[in-house]
Structure formats: structure tokens, C-alpha cells
Amino acid sequence: MKLIRKLSDFIYSIEKILAFLLALTLLLAMVGGFFFRYVLKSPLFWSDELAIFCLIWITFIGASMVLKEKTSPTITFLIDSVPKRFKKYFLIVSNIVLLAFVGYVLYLAINWISTPNILVQRSTSMDMPKIYFYLSIPISFAFSTIHVMNNVIESFKSEDHKEEGALQ
């Protein structure tokens, strides 16, 4: 069980670095695109596409990070209406349901990314294989699966109920 926690922590540190680098690349692509288009009057034809793909990766990696941090938005009217001794059980069930969901989406993403037509698709402006951008989905859901597995294990162990972000 410590292995899952350590793996989740390691993945989270990678996600933080990835998110920073992707955000920096996004910023540079947008500023560079603006500068070349409006100041030098010679637009970069690829900057918008690069910014879009960085935003896609940031979105999926950020979603995984939110699951690790247990800071996703929640609707708590159900958990607030049950006695405190039952809240732990709701937390366990919600984490197991979430694990089933991210595991299933990971399965679908792997099947989708394995189809032959994905390998031949190329981006319009940069002429790069789109597989590099599509990989954001299975990678982020693999990361999410590990984070949620860690959350499930922690929800069985925890004696105290954490009010914020409880139903992940």
C-alpha cells in the first residue's frame, strides 16, 4: 500500500513539472504568435495549434492533479445530510465508483489510441503526428487511476473524515 502512495506522489511531482512546462510553452506560443503577427507583420502559422495542444495536455494533466489533491468541486448535500459515522462509507463508495470510472475511461482510451487510423493522423500546421497530442488522454487517465487507487486505500484507512473534497 505504501508503494501505491509513493507511486502517486512520484507521478504528482512529474505532473507538476509537466504542467509548468506546458503552461510556459503555451504562454510563449501565444506571446510569440501575437508578437510575430502584430509587431513583425509575419504571423507564425503554427503558434495557435501548439497553444491548443498545450492546453489539451494541461487540461488532462490538471484533472489528474485535482484527483491527487482531492480538490475537485463537489456537491455535498447528500453527505451533509447523513450522520457523521456514515460519511466514511460514502467516501469509500464514491472513491470506488470513481476508480471504476477512470479505469473504464483508461481502458477505452487505450483501445482508441491503438487503432491504426490514429497513427496516420497529422496536425494541420505543424505536420506532427497527432498521436503525441492524443496520448494526453490515456496518460492522464493512467495517472488518475493511480491517484484514485491511492485515495481508495486512504479512505479505508482514515479514521477522520475530511470535509472538503470528500466525495472524490
Side-chain angles (χ1 to χ4, degrees):
M1 302 314 158
K2 288 183 181 181
L3 176 68
I4 298 288
R5 185 177 32 128
K6 286 183 181 184
L7 183 60
S8 178
D9 292 343
F10 177 71
I11 288 171
Y12 182 68
S13 64
I14 291 172
E15 288 172 330
K16 287 193 288 189
I17 293 167
L18 269 175
F20 174 77
L21 292 175
L22 288 165
L24 183 62
T25 304
L26 173 67
L27 175 68
L28 292 175
M30 294 303 294
V31 169
F34 176 85
F35 181 76
F36 275 80
R37 180 179 304 269
Y38 295 108
V39 176
L40 300 180
K41 307 291 185 206
S42 177
L44 297 174
F45 61 92
W46 49 266
S47 66
D48 291 341
E49 191 173 274
L50 178 61
I52 289 168
F53 291 137
C54 285
L55 186 60
I56 291 167
W57 267 94
I58 289 170
T59 301
F60 282 103
I61 294 296
S64 176
M65 292 173 73
V66 163
L67 292 174
K68 167 68 175 170
E69 296 171 350
K70 301 177 189 172
T71 56
S72 59
T74 57
I75 300 173
T76 62
F77 73 90
L78 181 63
I79 193 106
D80 291 342
S81 65
V82 298
K84 190 169 184 160
R85 66 179 183 265
F86 295 119
K87 289 182 182 186
K88 179 180 179 179
Y89 301 110
F90 274 96
L91 176 63
I92 291 169
V93 169
S94 67
N95 280 320
I96 290 172
V97 168
L98 182 58
L99 180 60
F101 172 76
V102 295
Y104 181 65
V105 174
L106 175 60
Y107 168 77
L108 293 176
I110 290 170
N111 283 343
W112 171 69
I113 209 86
S114 302
T115 57
N117 65 333
I118 296 294
L119 296 174
V120 297
Q121 294 181 17
R122 301 192 71 78
S123 66
T124 309
S125 299
M126 297 186 299
D127 196 36
M128 287 180 63
K130 283 190 173 181
I131 187 83
Y132 298 128
F133 311 111
Y134 293 153
L135 281 172
S136 64
I137 299 167
I139 288 173
S140 66
F141 275 91
F143 289 172
S144 295
T145 301
I146 292 167
H147 293 322
V148 175
M149 283 172 53
N150 184 51
N151 292 348
V152 168
I153 292 166
E154 287 179 1
S155 66
F156 277 106
K157 285 191 209 174
S158 76
E159 293 300 319
D160 300 326
H161 174 69
K162 188 176 178 182
E163 287 295 327
E164 58 221 40
L167 289 176
Q168 300 296 330

